[in-house]
Amino acid sequence: MQETPFCLRVGYLLPYSMSDSNKTDFTNPSTFILLGIPGLEAAHVWISIPFCAMYAIAILGNFTILFIVKMEPSLHGPMYYFLCMLAITDLGLSMSTLPKMLSIFWFNSREINFSACLTQMYFIHCVSVMDSGILVAMALDRYVAICDPLRHSTILTNPVVAKIGLAVVLRGGLLILPYPFLARQWPYCRTNIIPHTYCEHMAVVQLACADIRISSYYGLSVIFLLTGLDVFSIAVSYIQILRAIFSLPTKDARLKTFGTCGSHLCVILASYIPGLFSFLTHRFGHNVPLHFHILIANMYLLVPPMLNPIIYGVRTKQIRDRLLRLYKGT
């Protein structure tokens, strides 16, 4: 059974087709070979330009968010603490994938140690799950701020925010922990060539010469159950938020209140739409070339970390004002 993604940036499966010429007789390899984007090897240097630009923007933008929240006392609140958590996970996601991708594109450095590959696999999927959990926590913050504003500061205290953050980390860390442990136990005797730019879960375990249904079933369960739970929680929060907004007496009050959710809604769309698009491409785009599938798989890992700080920087007045003061040197 193949593992198929849904809205989370985890578990993406491409329609791999390994030729007999790539099959060799060996037992568990010490290294894997990442091909990058098969079929577009000649364009790797050109592809690296937008990838490198997205990486630079993601690193600069998310570090800027962290710096501004730390330096501005007025931003020391639940909404911005969750934003800092999102920035940290976005940094982790970018830094766990882009350096190796760029080394493939620029230096043809395709080898990756077996243990390093499993570590990258774990970190990518773990951080992706954390990312989704933080979006749920941010939806909860918006729900309390709009539906019960007088109790917002007493409900979402710093200790509560810290416990939510710890729960998000533990959920991601524990749920993804079986991925590398299961992958390590399989015998690999077919090939050590991965037609991808990073060590994606199913891209690795499908190289095993064993029954990998446990890995596949577990990956599917994590994807669909986790995604379903997170999307349902966000949807319930925003249904209650919309009910509270539409009960306000004036149009200006409704628009102003809804505007406080604008950044979060944009981040949700930036996070889940690429995953949904890649799911539809994989599900119905059977004639889509392999390199296009891999490009889409990279986009939904690279685009959200780049867009999230831009969205909050542009749409959040407090952050925008602090940025302007920082730029003017005041």
Side-chain angles (χ1 to χ4, degrees):
M1 182 175 180
Q2 290 184 331
E3 179 177 328
T4 310
F6 188 82
C7 290
L8 269 181
R9 297 196 296 275
V10 293
Y12 188 81
L13 172 63
L14 296 171
Y16 298 109
S17 176
M18 305 300 280
S19 65
D20 291 336
S21 62
N22 284 338
K23 295 184 178 180
T24 56
D25 294 323
F26 58 88
T27 54
N28 289 359
S30 60
T31 60
F32 283 119
I33 305 297
L34 292 167
L35 292 185
I37 306 177
L40 294 180
E41 289 87 354
H44 273 178
V45 173
W46 296 107
I47 294 171
S48 72
I49 295 173
F51 277 34
C52 185
M54 286 189 285
Y55 182 48
I57 293 170
I59 296 296
L60 179 62
N62 285 293
F63 271 121
T64 300
I65 291 290
L66 292 172
F67 176 77
I68 288 176
V69 173
K70 176 178 171 55
M71 297 301 295
E72 184 59 49
S74 65
L75 301 181
H76 293 178
M79 173 182 172
Y80 299 102
Y81 291 149
F82 290 135
L83 178 58
C84 286
M85 294 178 198
L86 186 67
I88 291 171
T89 58
D90 284 343
L91 284 169
L93 197 60
S94 298
M95 296 171 75
S96 64
T97 53
L98 260 296
K100 184 59 183 177
M101 285 186 204
L102 294 177
S103 71
I104 295 170
F105 295 154
W106 290 344
F107 310 115
N108 203 32
S109 176
R110 299 181 176 186
E111 287 193 1
I112 183 169
N113 181 271
F114 181 73
S115 296
C117 186
L118 296 186
T119 301
Q120 186 192 53
M121 172 206 300
Y122 174 76
F123 201 79
I124 289 171
H125 295 300
C126 177
V127 171
S128 298
V129 172
M130 292 180 193
D131 210 47
S132 183
I134 293 168
L135 293 179
V136 175
M138 296 174 86
L140 172 65
D141 171 71
R142 291 299 84 206
Y143 165 75
V144 176
I146 292 173
C147 298
D148 200 357
L150 297 179
R151 297 179 59 205
H152 182 260
S153 59
T154 57
I155 293 175
L156 288 176
T157 60
N158 287 347
V160 170
V161 171
K163 289 176 182 177
I164 292 174
L166 180 61
V168 167
V169 171
L170 290 177
R171 186 185 77 150
L174 294 177
L175 284 176
I176 302 300
L177 197 58
Y179 278 27
F181 278 100
L182 289 172
R184 183 176 287 277
Q185 77 171 13
W186 305 129
Y188 295 88
C189 55
R190 291 181 182 146
T191 181
N192 66 337
I193 298 174
I194 304 174
H196 215 303
T197 54
Y198 59 90
C199 291
E200 193 275 326
H201 177 224
M202 286 304 295
V204 174
V205 299
Q206 281 197 328
L207 302 183
C209 49
D211 185 350
I212 60 167
R213 282 182 293 180
I214 295 176
S215 286
S216 184
Y217 289 150
Y218 183 76
L220 275 173
S221 300
V222 169
I223 290 165
F224 285 109
L225 293 177
L226 202 66
T227 302
L229 179 62
D230 288 353
V231 171
F232 176 76
S233 300
I234 292 172
V236 169
S237 296
Y238 271 94
I239 288 171
Q240 298 301 316
I241 288 170
L242 289 174
R243 288 179 59 186
I245 288 174
F246 286 122
S247 67
L248 295 174
T250 65
K251 182 179 179 180
D252 287 344
R254 290 194 291 269
L255 289 174
K256 183 178 180 181
T257 305
F258 186 76
T260 63
C261 302
S263 298
H264 183 238
L265 284 172
C266 290
V267 167
I268 290 173
L269 294 176
S271 296
Y272 287 123
I273 284 180
L276 178 61
F277 181 67
S278 58
F279 167 78
L280 294 174
T281 302
H282 171 73
R283 189 80 175 187
F284 303 108
H286 301 297
N287 296 322
V288 175
L290 175 60
H291 64 262
F292 185 78
H293 282 280
I294 295 178
L295 284 171
I296 295 299
N298 284 301
M299 286 302 101
Y300 79 3
L301 285 181
L302 304 179
V303 171
M306 176 191 69
L307 286 183
N308 291 346
I310 295 174
I311 291 169
Y312 271 97
V314 170
R315 292 191 57 88
T316 306
K317 185 177 184 299
Q318 294 92 323
I319 294 177
R320 190 169 63 245
D321 290 346
R322 188 66 179 85
L323 265 175
L324 290 173
R325 297 211 316 268
L326 187 66
Y327 177 75
K328 295 177 180 178
T330 60

